Amino acid sequence: MKVAVRTLCEFAARSGDLDLRYTPAPTPEEGISGHSAVQNRRGAGYRAEVPLSGQCGGLLVSGRADGYEPYKKRLEEIKTHRGDLARVRPAQRALHRAQLRAYGALLCRLEKLRKLELVLIYYDLSKDKESPIAEHATADELWQELEALCARYRDWAAQEQQHRLRRDCALATLTFPFTNFRPQQRELAATVYKNSVRNQRLLLEAPTGSGKTLGTLFPALMAMPTAGHDRLYYLTSRNTVRHMALDAITLLNSKQSEPLPLRVLELVSKDDACEHPDKACHGDACPLAKGFFDRLPAARQSAASHPGILSQTALADIARLHQLCPYFLAQEMARWCDLVITDVNRMFDQSALLHALIRQNEWRASVLIDEAHNLVDRARGMYSVELSQARLLKTRRNAPKVLKKPMDTTARAWQALVRETPPGDHEAIFLDALPGALLNSLDRLVSALTDYLTDNPPDLALQELMFESLAFRRLADVFGDHSLCEFQRRARGKARLTLQNLIPADFLTGRFEAAASVLLFSATLSPGRYYRDLLGMPEDTFFQAVASPFAAQQLSVNFTPGISTRQAHRQRSLEPVAQLICRQYREQPGNYLAFFSSFAYLRDVLGEMTAQAPDVPVRAQQPGMSPEDRTAFLEGFSTGSRGVAFAVLGGIFSEGIDLPGDRLIGAFVATLGLPPFDAWHQVLKQRLDKRFREGYAYTYLIPGIQKVAQAAGRVIRTPEDKGVIWLIDDRFLQPEVRGLLPAWWFAPDRPSGDG
């Protein structure tokens, strides 16, 4: 029974309160960088990242000690932090010390040492300062302590070993929940299974209607025993897709001869799970944090023994029974569940929990990423941050006296930046270098805010300022040609500084390397090289397209060689576009969606159409629609209803909605969906051209046509659907554009219509 030193100590050496006071924890990348900074200072003979393992109390305990100096018999454990070392809580220090002493026990047994110097080094990233805490211990006392930890963990480990055996036996004989697969679903499942057992990375284009959710989860689960996978992660970009995955698991379980011994966790955000958002995460403020680790073992056992899915609701009930924070109970159960269904952030952002667990436990994890076409933009957002001058000035007005000095210093740094930057008429200015004075002031501001928030009641404005400043500072430390620094002077006191990620590959490569197998799948995922390059996937990543379950005979695709929707021709296009929509509606009345590049263009065509054909029922998407407004908009697509609904391409109604049958019989797309040809996109084009020699395609063409395919894909949702698509722009007939449209739309022996 194997266990990592850190996992062992986190299980057996923690007690007391959950205490997450405002000590800005370094990201995993910052931690690695800090470790390297300390290790590189050591002299000749110093051994870094020393692999250690040994059998103790029926367990194989292993890990990597940060550093060892053999001639001094000195073992080091390095912990990175920011700010006052006194803010590292006693319980956290005790955990760090337990890890160091566990490594010491293994080292003494391996090297046959009688005693050892143990040094816990706290390294302040902001100040580049080491604070060592040294002690000496004998091999006998260290081994006795390790035996005590192993004794506390042994019963749980035996339980987990039996669970793994039962799980793998059940998954090896997993049966599909239906008598037959959908068309192409068997091919989809076979492809996913092979990718899992071969531990490969695959970009899989699987059209709507191919049963992707069940068609990926079923084979990935079935492959786990053969592939030796410890964990399976199903990652999504939307809550609705997460719920579909949970429903698929419920269905799969219900169709087995016996309930699956499979632990499934729904992992949600802290905002969704927190019971006391007005309280800080420590025992002095929140009753659910008080004594958290003392009550955790019973709650953990209850959750592990829960017969169903550990959904958000189920886990909240368990947490309530044991008077624990449900969010941090979920964080704990992510260590012990076989399948985790959650947002893509949990694997790919700066503080990704799942990635950290893979590295810590050296797990072989299989990763499924649904709606993977969204991952490029989502990842760019994960590694982008905006700093607001207005937030600082507003918060400073009511700030406590102790914070006035660091806030004033930061405000002066902002003023200097504004003075030194050439006027840009409110347009963004791209800076070649980061403003050093502002960055230095942010370090002092974060430190002061941390100290204040630790000792005082929660203050939302101060928290937001601290998190924004810290996030900016972190990304500034790794600034490079993968990102862009934008300065914008909107008005007096309202300047903004943004670190905008352009190429997420530089941040995500390590995430993909850590997983044993990876599957990215979506209805629109071609060309595969676009995603491979921008996401930082390995060169040997495969691309495969599953044949569509739909036939070209279901769909009439029409082009308009005489209409241009280019910005320069926009006004001239209003009348012919409106006429085309009216003609199609009158020839075949029903429900249609018409997509446009902007709300302004939408309103112009809508006005023209209302004037030309007041008899045609129309309605339009509005900016900033509430959930109720969105629901009402979609309810207009009812069986038997008729009309044309106007929407913006790339908006909330252009993907992720199902309107089968006569709820939607056609779509008009009056744009190529190309991003604006502004200064920002031109810089992006230059960077992508330099890196991949695909600047125009990666910046404009591929993202634009992807949106078109997603929007037009709303028309055919089942094998019984029939419909019409109008692609309104002469550029759709260009070979490089048409080649990016779904191949199944076009029968090889049937020409498409022209308008």
Side-chain angles (χ1 to χ4, degrees):
M1 295 185 291
K2 299 179 181 179
V3 62
V5 166
R6 181 168 175 178
T7 299
L8 173 66
C9 293
E10 287 175 343
F11 184 95
R14 292 187 299 183
S15 62
D17 298 351
L18 175 69
D19 199 332
L20 296 177
R21 297 175 202 254
Y22 294 97
T23 50
T27 64
E29 287 74 15
E30 288 176 322
I32 293 171
S33 176
H35 279 63
S36 296
V38 173
Q39 291 163 344
N40 290 338
R41 294 172 179 168
R42 300 301 185 252
Y46 182 82
R47 293 162 54 191
E49 303 299 325
V50 182
L52 296 170
S53 64
Q55 294 186 19
C56 181
L59 301 173
L60 178 61
V61 185
S62 63
R64 288 183 179 272
D66 292 330
Y68 177 52
E69 295 181 271
Y71 57 94
K72 292 183 179 179
K73 293 185 175 55
R74 172 188 168 107
L75 183 68
E76 295 182 339
E77 175 73 4
I78 304 167
K79 298 297 180 183
T80 54
H81 72 104
R82 291 180 185 272
D84 188 352
L85 180 57
R87 302 304 181 190
V88 179
R89 316 311 298 181
Q92 193 70 9
R93 292 189 188 216
L95 176 61
H96 298 161
R97 182 172 180 264
Q99 292 174 10
L100 173 60
R101 294 176 74 85
Y103 286 128
L106 295 174
L107 180 65
C108 286
R109 184 60 59 101
L110 185 67
E111 299 280 339
K112 297 181 172 54
L113 303 176
R114 297 180 60 186
K115 59 183 179 178
L116 189 66
E117 182 184 10
L118 304 165
V119 186
L120 187 57
I121 296 175
Y122 287 99
Y123 175 66
D124 189 331
L125 292 164
S126 302
K127 299 177 182 177
D128 187 24
K129 177 185 175 183
E130 295 182 36
S131 299
I133 302 173
E135 61 178 316
H136 290 81
T138 66
D140 288 344
E141 63 182 304
L142 291 174
W143 193 257
Q144 288 173 6
E145 291 176 17
L146 183 60
E147 286 181 325
L149 292 176
C150 291
R152 292 178 209 144
Y153 184 75
R154 189 183 304 113
D155 289 345
W156 177 267
Q159 171 188 288
E160 291 303 285
Q161 187 179 50
Q162 290 302 311
H163 168 77
R164 174 67 176 262
L165 290 172
R166 292 195 304 272
R167 183 202 79 177
D168 285 354
C169 286
L171 293 182
T173 57
L174 195 64
T175 58
F176 195 66
F178 298 109
T179 304
N180 297 307
F181 287 88
R182 290 189 192 181
Q184 282 73 50
Q185 194 178 33
R186 181 182 292 277
E187 177 191 352
L188 169 68
T191 300
V192 174
Y193 182 85
K194 291 175 185 176
N195 185 69
S196 294
V197 297
R198 293 172 181 171
N199 290 307
Q200 295 174 335
R201 284 139 185 82
L202 175 65
L203 292 159
L204 184 65
E205 188 169 78
T208 299
S210 54
K212 292 190 293 293
T213 306
L214 193 57
T216 53
L217 272 169
F218 168 72
L221 286 167
M222 195 172 185
M224 288 182 76
T226 303
H229 289 163
D230 301 295
R231 299 292 186 267
L232 173 62
Y233 299 143
Y234 191 99
L235 310 178
T236 76
S237 296
R238 292 186 296 120
N239 290 344
T240 52
V241 178
R242 189 177 76 232
H243 295 151
M244 289 170 60
L246 292 167
D247 290 343
I249 291 297
T250 300
L251 172 66
L252 190 62
N253 189 38
S254 69
K255 297 297 183 178
Q256 307 305 308
S257 58
E258 295 182 3
L260 287 173
L262 184 74
R263 291 194 199 129
V264 182
L265 173 68
E266 178 189 16
L267 194 59
V268 302
S269 69
K270 187 176 181 180
D271 288 343
D272 290 336
C274 182
E275 297 279 352
H276 298 292
D278 59 322
K279 294 179 172 59
C281 295
H282 59 80
D284 295 335
C286 180
L288 301 182
K290 188 72 173 177
F292 179 91
F293 292 110
D294 298 329
R295 296 192 297 276
L296 177 60
R300 180 170 53 214
Q301 186 61 59
S302 294
S305 305
H306 184 70
I309 292 174
L310 289 172
S311 65
Q312 179 183 353
T313 302
L315 206 61
D317 290 341
I318 294 171
R320 195 172 298 113
L321 180 66
H322 294 273
Q323 296 182 299
L324 287 180
C325 170
Y327 174 72
F328 286 102
L329 177 58
Q331 299 278 106
E332 173 68 18
M333 292 313 299
R335 304 166 184 269
W336 312 111
C337 287
D338 308 296
L339 169 61
V340 180
I341 300 173
T342 188
D343 190 88
V344 292
N345 281 46
R346 296 309 183 99
M347 182 68 186
F348 293 107
D349 73 10
Q350 297 178 70
S351 55
L353 171 68
L354 300 183
H355 176 244
L357 290 176
I358 290 173
R359 291 179 60 90
Q360 174 180 322
N361 297 284
E362 297 183 344
W363 283 337
R364 296 176 59 79
S366 177
V367 179
L368 306 178
I369 305 172
D370 200 350
E371 292 187 315
H373 65 278
N374 289 316
L375 188 55
V376 172
D377 286 341
R378 282 293 302 273
R380 281 176 173 152
M382 294 174 202
Y383 294 92
S384 299
V385 63
E386 183 179 82
L387 194 66
S388 167
Q389 182 188 24
R391 183 189 297 279
L392 172 73
L393 298 179
K394 181 180 178 181
T395 308
R396 185 178 62 160
R397 286 198 292 268
N398 300 311
K401 186 176 181 180
V402 69
L403 295 176
K404 288 290 186 182
K405 183 176 179 180
M407 287 189 175
D408 288 345
T409 302
T410 307
R412 287 194 295 272
W414 265 113
Q415 291 168 358
L417 177 61
V418 171
R419 286 194 306 270
E420 295 164 5
T421 306
D425 296 326
H426 305 297
E427 295 296 325
I429 298 171
F430 306 129
L431 305 182
D432 295 329
L434 302 182
L438 181 57
L439 296 182
N440 292 335
S441 70
L442 289 178
D443 284 337
R444 293 188 288 272
L445 178 60
V446 167
S447 180
L449 286 168
T450 298
D451 291 346
Y452 180 83
L453 289 168
T454 300
D455 298 326
N456 292 276
D459 184 304
L460 182 59
L462 294 177
Q463 289 176 24
E464 290 176 344
L465 178 62
M466 187 190 76
F467 292 144
E468 179 182 278
S469 302
L470 181 61
F472 190 91
R473 195 64 187 83
R474 281 175 170 169
L475 284 180
D477 285 342
V478 291
F479 183 70
D481 68 351
H482 50 67
S483 299
L484 186 64
C485 183
E486 305 174 21
F487 174 81
Q488 190 170 22
R489 182 191 286 104
R490 297 186 174 182
R492 183 178 177 84
K494 294 185 178 180
R496 291 180 180 270
L497 195 63
T498 305
L499 294 180
Q500 176 67 53
N501 178 249
L502 306 177
I503 306 174
D506 295 53
F507 295 103
L508 302 190
T509 296
R511 304 295 200 263
F512 288 113
E513 290 175 348
S517 76
V518 181
L519 175 72
L520 282 75
F521 60 100
S522 172
T524 52
L525 208 57
S526 59
R529 69 181 191 282
Y530 169 79
Y531 296 95
R532 182 201 64 193
D533 288 349
L534 287 181
L535 296 175
M537 302 183 73
E539 286 291 326
D540 61 357
T541 298
F542 294 90
F543 175 82
Q544 185 170 335
V546 176
S548 173
F550 309 138
Q553 288 71 25
Q554 294 178 249
L555 189 64
S556 172
V557 182
N558 301 275
F559 297 91
T560 59
I563 301 178
S564 167
T565 65
R566 297 170 179 85
Q567 184 66 41
H569 307 149
R570 191 68 49 85
Q571 193 64 31
R572 192 167 48 195
S573 72
L574 300 181
E575 183 176 352
V577 171
Q579 289 176 348
L580 187 155
I581 295 173
C582 291
R583 184 175 75 245
Q584 173 65 42
Y585 178 84
R586 285 169 175 157
E587 290 176 357
Q588 188 180 3
N591 286 315
Y592 293 85
L593 264 168
F595 294 99
F596 299 87
S597 56
S598 66
F599 281 106
Y601 191 25
L602 179 156
R603 287 190 291 266
D604 288 345
V605 176
L606 181 61
E608 183 70 25
M609 187 168 163
T610 302
Q612 285 188 26
D615 58 305
V616 177
V618 294
R619 52 200 170 86
Q621 174 186 351
Q622 302 297 325
M625 294 176 76
S626 67
E628 294 76 19
D629 293 336
R630 298 178 194 178
T631 300
F633 187 87
L634 292 174
E635 286 175 348
F637 297 95
S638 59
T639 300
S641 65
R642 296 178 177 182
V644 182
F646 285 59
V648 173
L649 188 72
I652 53 177
F653 301 117
S654 60
E655 67 172 288
I657 61 171
D658 280 308
L659 301 169
D662 63 359
R663 293 183 64 193
L664 184 69
I665 65 168
F668 309 88
V669 184
T671 171
L672 263 67
L674 304 182
F677 287 82
D678 54 21
W680 189 91
H681 284 93
Q682 286 300 100
V683 173
L684 175 61
K685 176 178 174 292
Q686 293 167 8
R687 299 281 180 93
L688 295 178
D689 207 40
K690 183 178 180 181
R691 181 82 70 97
F692 305 114
R693 301 187 184 280
E694 292 278 6
Y696 177 75
Y698 283 12
T699 302
Y700 295 106
L701 193 57
I702 294 172
I705 301 306
Q706 180 193 88
K707 293 178 183 178
V708 171
Q710 282 284 335
R714 302 306 97 200
V715 176
I716 304 297
R717 309 302 290 175
T718 74
E720 292 74 38
D721 288 350
K722 292 186 177 181
V724 59
I725 293 173
W726 281 92
L727 301 176
I728 308 174
D729 192 287
D730 54 13
R731 290 168 291 177
F732 279 115
L733 287 165
Q734 296 174 358
E736 66 271 22
V737 175
R738 178 164 170 165
L740 293 171
L741 296 171
W744 76 265
W745 285 7
F746 309 102
D749 57 345
R750 176 171 63 87
S752 298
D754 293 340

